[in-house]
Amino acid sequence: MGDTLRDIPEFIERELGESLEARNGAIGTFRALGAPDFCHVTKVNAKPGAKEVPTSGFTSSYHFVSGVDASNSASLAAYLNSLTYAIDEAHTWFSSGVAWRIRSGVYCCYNAFSRVDIRVVVKIPGGVESYAVNAMGEGRQDITPLMWQETYLSAILRAILQSEDTNNRLPGLRQLEPISDEAAEKRFFEAAEQLFFRGWLLGSNSETQVPTIVNNHLTAAILKYCKESFRFDLAVAFFEKLAKKEPEIASLLAQAYIGTDEELKAVRALYDAIQQSPQNYALLDAQSDFVRNKGRLDMALRLSKDAVNCAPSEYTTWAKLTDIYIEQGDYHNALLTLNSCPMFTFNEKDIQRVPKPARVHLPIRNYIDVDLIDEEPGHDEEIDPALLRLPAAMLRGTFASAYNLLTKLVSKIGWDELLRCRSLVFVMEEEYRAQKEAEEEFRKRGRNNVYAPVNLPSEKPRQTSQHLDPNGASVPTIKVSTESERDREEAEENVKEENDSKDDADQSMKDVPLDDLSLDDQKDNQEDESKEDSREAIDEVTRRPEEAHEGSETESEKDIEISFSFSHKRLCDRWLDNLFMVLYEDLRQYAVWRAEVQHYRQARIPYRKSGGEWQIYGDLAMRLHHRIEALEAYQECVAKKFSSKAFYQLLEIYADDGQVLKAMDAAIRLCVYQERWYQEAVFPSAVAYNLNKLIHQEGWTKVHNTLVSLDTSPTVYKMMLRVLTRAKDFQVPGHEV
């Protein structure tokens, strides 16, 4: 159609400007880096110079974009101007007709530092206007040079960190190259250096409670950029200058040194920094990671305990301590430490909610080979509901990380041994119920020993009950009844039997002091507690509210001391109990799947599942750390249908194993898939990262020759060559081999 953009995704509005109003209302909901850039255009179906009627001949559309240079109004206006050349031409038989043209455009880019939305308005013909909108969606503030620098860096960080966010990916998001050459790279690091000490304003990932200057989105983006390009020398040059101002930055500098195989410099940097800030948990964690990689788990354990004591409210310190316990084989302390992890609510990525569009335009470019990415679901896409209901796939944030530690633990010791360890360190429901019954029984016996029974008058058989006056003496109360004489006699007999039983209980307990009422194995438990020195070091930090609640006992309850046989145990948090149930569901489905596979193989019968089911089985095996079974499932999945998720997993596995040919085949399909869905950015991406990994291992020449040997189409070869050319231009290690 003539009112759409060529090769660019579009969402046609029902009413003019409704999505801009939604953007104004969404600014206040952004909590971190903000939503991707928003581009809104208004088109008119009229000849240039003709009088335009506001009520007819107008249409408006919008799309999301990332990677555009947002350093000034001119660069954003240039992007809007480029859209004027992408209008589809209207084709008629006898005349060209009146063509659509862009009347105006608005580009919105969120500034995550100042919490304002930068707007650039272009009117054709006309001029360019730029202003800032506050969090309330109101006002037109002037934009300072500092705000432009903040906006530029915010846009780059979004493009880097959200490039592979498949969970919250917007449909029709157009991704352009954020850093296209070395000059742009240098500019990015200069802006990051100037705003580095304000990076904590951007927030952090969901596993960090309090953002710091070393744990925030800015440092995460820098490390990701250097790691995926295997160019840690950039990080070394960047953090060396900043570490002189703040010792805590040495934790990042040490990671960069280790990436460049300069471990002695990393040790020296950590040593100097820890002398100045001995209680900094980031430095302690960096030291722990280093000695742990060297096989010194005893030293790593000591450092991780210190990090926990320095930052008891941070999840990452507890998670690392749990992981070290698992590697040491101390599974009891691993469970206790995992139970002590502070869990945070997962915060979804910032996203802009827009009204439902009247029409969606998602064009397929002419050069895309759709046969390589056939996404049409087949007839066998019926998936077992039990597989769809697996809750582990929905875990996010700290809960997903804790579940990964739990699956790592069960992969080492098995489900039965895990349950045994769980029963030894946590209070079980049956055990708790039995102890509560024992407690009530002891309290009843204690009361019966303190309070003597009251004899009722025999001449007036009435139902009685006993109460205590403020001084502790028993006061009988008489309850007048209108029952028949027969009922009175039955009541008298019942009371008499009750008094006889109380007398027997009193006789049996008269020589037993109340202070000696305890269960038999209290002494043994105290001896066990004295042997667990490592656990006592952490228990001070992880004391649960239930222990503090013990001080709220009434005076009457303090007189009767009941000691439990599980006094050395802990109460398992509800979230960890839920993870055990999630793990049980995963293990049950995995066991059923492997049993079926084994049965069909023995019977020499083909084992048939749909492509969707194979993908779920692959994800299940990856969660449970069964890499070979996951590889088998993903291969079966892509044999049934095209699945970008399965190909991403296969590409990573093939690259780790050094299988260049298979990795190149998966990379080709994913490259075409990314181009189909408007991901024009070469880097950062999963394809570029894994190909850089192969170049680092095997050399650029071997990877390139493998691509040539596959005899792909010229279009596909050109797309893949862009990735390899970028690796050579940016001098990824191995580019000269």
Side-chain angles (χ1 to χ4, degrees):
M1 296 181 60
D3 62 341
T4 56
L5 299 177
R6 183 175 58 255
D7 297 337
I8 296 176
E10 271 190 298
F11 299 90
I12 312 301
E13 291 183 317
R14 296 178 180 271
E15 298 181 5
L16 292 177
E18 62 180 1
S19 60
L20 276 175
E21 293 296 329
R23 175 82 177 189
N24 293 336
I27 298 174
T29 64
F30 297 159
R31 294 290 178 264
L33 291 177
D37 298 354
F38 178 78
C39 182
H40 180 275
V41 294
T42 302
K43 307 167 196 170
V44 61
N45 188 12
K47 293 182 179 180
K51 185 177 181 180
E52 299 174 354
V53 181
T55 58
S56 63
F58 279 84
T59 184
S60 58
S61 65
Y62 62 89
H63 65 273
F64 296 95
V65 63
S66 67
V68 179
D69 181 10
S71 58
N72 51 64
S73 60
S75 59
L76 298 182
Y79 176 79
L80 290 173
N81 185 63
S82 67
L83 300 179
T84 60
Y85 302 100
I87 291 286
D88 276 344
E89 297 181 359
H91 298 283
T92 60
W93 285 101
F94 302 106
S95 65
S96 61
V98 179
W100 288 87
R101 60 186 179 87
I102 294 180
R103 180 67 177 82
S104 62
V106 181
Y107 193 99
C108 307
C109 186
Y110 184 68
N111 183 337
F113 289 91
S114 300
R115 303 294 178 188
V116 295
D117 202 37
I118 302 298
R119 305 281 176 88
V120 174
V121 182
V122 176
K123 296 181 180 180
I124 305 173
V128 177
E129 180 185 8
S130 60
Y131 56 89
V133 178
N134 59 21
M136 302 299 295
E138 303 171 350
R140 293 197 171 194
Q141 308 175 14
D142 294 334
I143 305 176
T144 63
L146 178 60
M147 292 175 65
W148 276 119
Q149 188 179 42
E150 295 171 349
T151 306
Y152 162 76
L153 189 58
S154 299
I156 295 292
L157 297 181
R158 281 193 295 270
I160 293 175
L161 294 178
Q162 300 177 4
S163 59
E164 299 298 331
D165 187 10
T166 57
N167 296 320
N168 299 297
R169 180 177 172 82
L170 288 171
L173 171 63
R174 188 184 184 193
Q175 294 179 271
L176 303 178
E177 189 79 30
I179 301 176
S180 56
D181 51 31
E182 293 184 355
E185 181 182 81
K186 181 180 178 181
R187 185 180 179 186
F188 163 64
F189 279 100
E190 288 176 352
E193 181 181 353
Q194 295 178 11
L195 299 175
F196 183 84
F197 291 98
R198 296 179 59 200
W200 62 272
L201 295 172
L202 303 175
S204 60
N205 58 24
S206 58
E207 296 181 7
T208 303
Q209 185 181 27
V210 180
T212 63
I213 59 173
V214 297
N215 288 324
N216 55 66
H217 286 308
L218 176 57
T219 58
I222 293 173
L223 290 176
K224 179 183 178 181
Y225 182 86
C226 297
K227 176 184 176 181
E228 295 192 358
S229 61
F230 294 90
R231 299 170 62 209
F232 286 98
D233 55 315
L234 294 174
V236 169
F238 181 79
F239 291 122
E240 273 183 341
K241 294 179 288 186
L242 297 172
K244 298 176 182 178
K245 303 177 182 178
E246 176 58 48
E248 187 177 3
I249 303 177
S251 61
L252 302 176
L253 178 60
Q255 296 182 44
Y257 277 138
I258 294 173
T260 57
D261 294 330
E262 294 180 308
E263 295 182 348
L264 292 179
K265 290 185 178 180
V267 172
R268 172 57 62 183
L270 288 175
Y271 175 79
D272 293 340
I274 207 70
Q275 298 301 316
Q276 303 179 50
S277 301
Q279 299 297 318
N280 188 278
Y281 79 93
L283 295 173
L284 293 172
D285 276 343
Q287 283 185 326
S288 176
D289 292 339
F290 178 77
V291 297
R292 179 181 170 189
N293 292 332
K294 295 300 180 181
R296 295 298 305 272
L297 295 179
D298 54 335
M299 298 177 64
L301 178 63
R302 196 160 58 246
L303 290 167
S304 291
K305 285 183 178 180
D306 292 341
V308 166
N309 291 325
C310 294
S313 61
E314 288 294 338
Y315 169 81
T316 53
T317 57
W318 289 97
K320 288 184 178 181
L321 181 58
T322 303
D323 205 6
I324 292 174
Y325 275 132
I326 293 175
E327 290 190 12
Q328 279 189 329
D330 191 354
Y331 305 123
H332 293 178
N333 276 332
L335 279 178
L336 287 172
T337 309
L338 181 62
N339 186 60
S340 303
C341 289
M343 308 303 288
F344 313 134
T345 303
F346 178 71
N347 296 321
E348 297 285 348
K349 296 288 180 63
D350 293 330
I351 191 171
Q352 177 185 344
R353 307 294 180 182
V354 291
K356 184 178 180 180
R359 184 160 46 92
V360 177
H361 176 61
L362 301 175
I364 301 177
R365 291 163 180 160
N366 296 329
Y367 56 85
I368 299 295
D369 189 357
V370 294
D371 293 335
L372 294 174
I373 53 170
D374 184 14
E375 298 179 279
E376 293 296 328
H379 63 280
D380 61 339
E381 278 303 299
E382 294 183 1
I383 301 177
D384 185 0
L387 295 177
L388 294 174
R389 288 195 300 265
L390 289 177
M394 304 302 296
L395 295 176
R396 298 287 184 271
T398 54
F399 296 98
S401 176
Y403 184 72
N404 182 61
L405 292 172
L406 194 60
T407 55
K408 183 178 180 179
L409 181 57
V410 77
S411 67
K412 288 182 174 293
I413 63 176
W415 174 250
D416 293 336
E417 183 65 18
L418 178 63
L419 291 182
R420 192 186 70 83
C421 293
R422 180 192 181 197
S423 64
L424 290 176
V425 299
F426 296 134
V427 179
M428 296 291 100
E429 182 179 357
E430 297 81 3
E431 190 178 16
Y432 181 76
R433 188 184 301 113
Q435 293 298 331
K436 291 296 291 184
E437 292 175 358
E439 177 187 2
E440 292 299 326
E441 180 66 23
F442 277 118
R443 285 175 178 170
K444 288 180 181 179
R445 294 170 63 186
R447 292 192 184 98
N448 291 337
N449 186 42
V450 174
Y451 309 127
V454 179
N455 295 324
L456 296 177
S458 59
E459 68 276 6
K460 293 182 180 181
R462 294 183 178 91
Q463 189 175 3
T464 63
S465 60
Q466 295 188 45
H467 297 277
L468 298 179
D469 67 358
N471 296 324
S474 59
V475 180
T477 59
I478 301 176
K479 182 177 181 181
V480 179
S481 176
T482 58
E483 298 172 340
S484 62
E485 193 66 27
R486 178 181 175 184
D487 295 338
R488 292 175 184 174
E489 292 176 357
E490 292 178 357
E492 181 182 359
E493 292 176 359
N494 293 335
V495 172
K496 186 175 181 179
E497 293 176 357
E498 181 180 356
N499 291 335
D500 293 340
S501 63
K502 290 180 180 179
D503 293 338
D504 295 338
D506 294 339
Q507 184 65 26
S508 63
M509 296 185 62
K510 73 179 178 180
D511 295 331
V512 181
L514 295 179
D515 294 339
D516 292 340
L517 293 176
S518 61
L519 299 181
D520 295 336
D521 48 356
Q522 177 185 9
K523 190 174 298 182
D524 296 333
N525 293 331
Q526 292 177 351
E527 293 176 0
D528 293 337
E529 289 178 349
S530 64
K531 297 178 182 179
E532 298 172 352
D533 296 333
S534 60
R535 187 182 308 168
E536 291 176 1
I538 305 302
D539 283 345
E540 272 299 305
V541 185
T542 62
R543 184 177 292 115
R544 286 305 181 202
E546 288 82 357
E547 298 174 359
H549 184 68
E550 292 175 0
S552 61
E553 294 178 351
T554 60
E555 292 296 324
S556 61
E557 292 175 337
K558 290 181 179 179
D559 293 337
I560 305 175
E561 295 185 5
I562 306 296
S563 65
F564 296 97
S565 64
F566 50 77
S567 60
H568 67 290
K569 294 187 177 182
R570 301 281 297 279
L571 292 178
C572 185
D573 278 356
R574 184 180 298 274
W575 65 265
L576 186 54
D577 263 339
N578 293 337
L579 288 188
F580 273 104
M581 297 303 298
V582 172
L583 178 60
Y584 170 75
E585 290 296 328
D586 271 1
L587 291 174
R588 186 173 65 86
Q589 288 295 334
Y590 180 80
V592 170
W593 170 44
R594 299 314 300 172
E596 288 179 352
V597 170
Q598 186 67 20
H599 172 72
Y600 277 80
R601 284 178 179 175
Q602 291 178 354
R604 297 183 179 180
I605 302 174
Y607 185 63
R608 293 186 175 89
K609 290 289 183 179
S610 66
E613 288 176 328
W614 281 116
Q615 179 177 320
I616 295 176
Y617 281 135
D619 296 340
L620 174 61
M622 287 297 289
R623 287 198 300 268
L624 298 178
H625 305 281
H626 296 289
R627 190 168 177 268
I628 297 177
E629 289 78 5
L631 175 61
E632 173 190 342
Y634 286 133
Q635 288 174 341
E636 292 288 345
C637 172
V638 298
K640 296 284 185 179
K641 69 166 190 175
F642 176 85
S643 171
S644 60
K645 185 174 184 180
F647 271 117
Y648 278 126
Q649 295 287 354
L650 287 174
L651 175 60
E652 183 176 356
I653 294 174
Y654 292 149
D656 290 338
D657 294 343
Q659 302 185 40
V660 182
L661 184 61
K662 292 183 178 180
M664 187 61 67
D665 181 68
I668 287 174
R669 293 178 180 271
L670 287 173
C671 193
V672 175
Y673 172 79
Q674 292 175 354
E675 193 76 15
R676 160 66 183 96
W677 292 108
Y678 318 109
Q679 188 173 343
E680 304 171 32
V682 174
F683 186 87
S685 66
V687 174
Y689 171 51
N690 286 283
L691 289 182
N692 288 342
K693 188 186 302 181
L694 289 174
I695 293 172
H696 181 60
Q697 296 172 356
E698 307 292 339
W700 189 90
T701 304
K702 181 177 180 179
V703 176
H704 178 260
N705 291 339
T706 304
L707 173 63
V708 174
S709 67
L710 291 176
D711 194 21
T712 60
S713 65
T715 303
V716 173
Y717 175 77
K718 184 178 180 180
M719 286 189 293
M720 291 298 299
L721 190 60
R722 285 182 0 192
V723 183
L724 299 182
T725 302
R726 190 189 189 281
K728 183 176 280 291
D729 293 342
F730 281 82
Q731 299 182 358
V732 171
H735 71 281
E736 71 283 353
V737 180

